[in-house]
Amino acid sequence: MHLDYVILGALAVRRLSGYDMRGWMERSGRYIGYGVQLPQIYRRLAKLVERGWADFDIDARENGPDAKVYRLTEEGREALLAWARSPFEPSPRPMDPDFKLRFVFGGQLGPEIALDIVSTELEYRLKHDATTPEAPLPFTYEAQIPELDPVWAREIHTMAHENGYASAAAYIAWLQLTKARLETQIERCRDERDKRDVERHER
């Protein structure tokens, strides 16, 4: 179901063929962490057309077969907005792709939506992932096979914990910076709106 909203979100930006959409996913879209194969994209596009959320025009091409270029319908717009504005539930797994999908394809519809998603994610991460760098490892390791050195195993496990801690800390810092940036953007928009209202009133 997530792919439906990825497609709807992409079609909100521009009209695309299935091939173009796959190309975007292989380039800048890969940083969102959501890649699918071309047949899966075409299957979902057909379902969205069947549901009335998308439609297409035929683009005649001289150097190849004609292409279906898809566009968002009014029903698709309403479905995308309903998804973007629905309550966001963070995943227990930090840096889950679901957050990125919601942030990009929901957040692109307005800074208030983006702020709500980021604030929810940040609150959850501060509660569940803001742990200490000290690894909660057992006091003693007892080797069960001759190839394992308990001291070295403990060292490796500590490094892995520190990697997870550093990643979570960096992610939380990014969420805090993004939250502040969105709040500034929203405040700037309000100031501009208030200024326009005053100017209209003075005319």
Side-chain angles (χ1 to χ4, degrees):
M1 194 63 174
H2 288 307
L3 181 55
D4 290 352
Y5 295 109
V6 170
I7 292 172
L8 293 178
L11 292 179
V13 176
R14 57 174 296 200
R15 298 183 179 201
L16 292 164
S17 68
Y19 183 81
D20 292 336
M21 194 167 297
R22 174 59 182 162
W24 173 81
M25 287 184 179
E26 289 178 337
R27 293 188 294 273
S28 58
R30 66 195 170 108
Y31 294 108
I32 299 173
Y34 194 81
V36 293
Q37 298 303 311
L38 194 56
Q40 189 177 356
I41 292 173
Y42 281 125
R43 283 196 297 270
R44 293 319 304 169
L45 281 167
K47 288 289 185 184
L48 291 175
V49 170
E50 186 180 304
R51 196 179 295 163
W53 289 6
D55 205 349
F56 62 87
D57 300 303
I58 300 296
D59 181 20
R61 300 185 178 180
E62 293 181 2
N63 300 324
D66 295 348
K68 291 180 178 178
V69 179
Y70 293 85
R71 53 187 160 78
L72 206 59
T73 64
E74 181 60 27
E75 291 83 357
R77 169 184 165 274
E78 291 174 0
L80 179 63
L81 286 170
W83 171 73
R85 293 168 176 164
S86 64
F88 171 64
E89 295 184 13
S91 167
R93 182 176 63 172
M95 292 164 281
D96 189 87
D98 284 354
F99 166 75
K100 288 186 181 179
L101 293 179
R102 191 65 172 267
F103 176 69
V104 172
F105 295 109
Q108 71 180 5
L109 300 175
E112 290 85 0
I113 293 174
L115 178 60
D116 182 62
I117 295 165
V118 167
S119 297
T120 302
E121 177 78 356
L122 176 59
E123 182 180 351
Y124 185 93
R125 296 302 154 206
L126 287 172
K127 182 177 180 181
H128 296 280
D129 298 331
T131 57
T132 63
E134 290 79 20
L137 302 175
F139 289 108
T140 58
Y141 276 34
E142 298 178 357
Q144 302 298 302
I145 58 174
E147 293 83 1
L148 187 135
D149 175 357
V151 175
W152 177 242
R154 183 184 181 90
E155 186 67 17
I156 285 290
H157 293 181
T158 299
M159 292 179 200
H161 171 82
E162 289 170 348
N163 172 263
Y165 171 80
S167 297
Y171 181 50
I172 288 171
W174 176 83
L175 288 168
Q176 290 169 329
L177 290 168
T178 303
K179 181 173 183 283
R181 187 185 183 107
L182 289 166
E183 288 170 340
T184 300
Q185 177 68 26
I186 290 170
E187 188 63 32
R188 186 182 299 121
C189 290
R190 285 177 184 155
D191 290 344
E192 291 174 358
R193 192 164 52 242
D194 291 344
K195 183 179 178 181
R196 287 195 299 270
D197 289 344
V198 169
E199 290 173 351
R200 275 198 302 268
H201 182 72
E202 290 176 346
R203 286 185 194 140

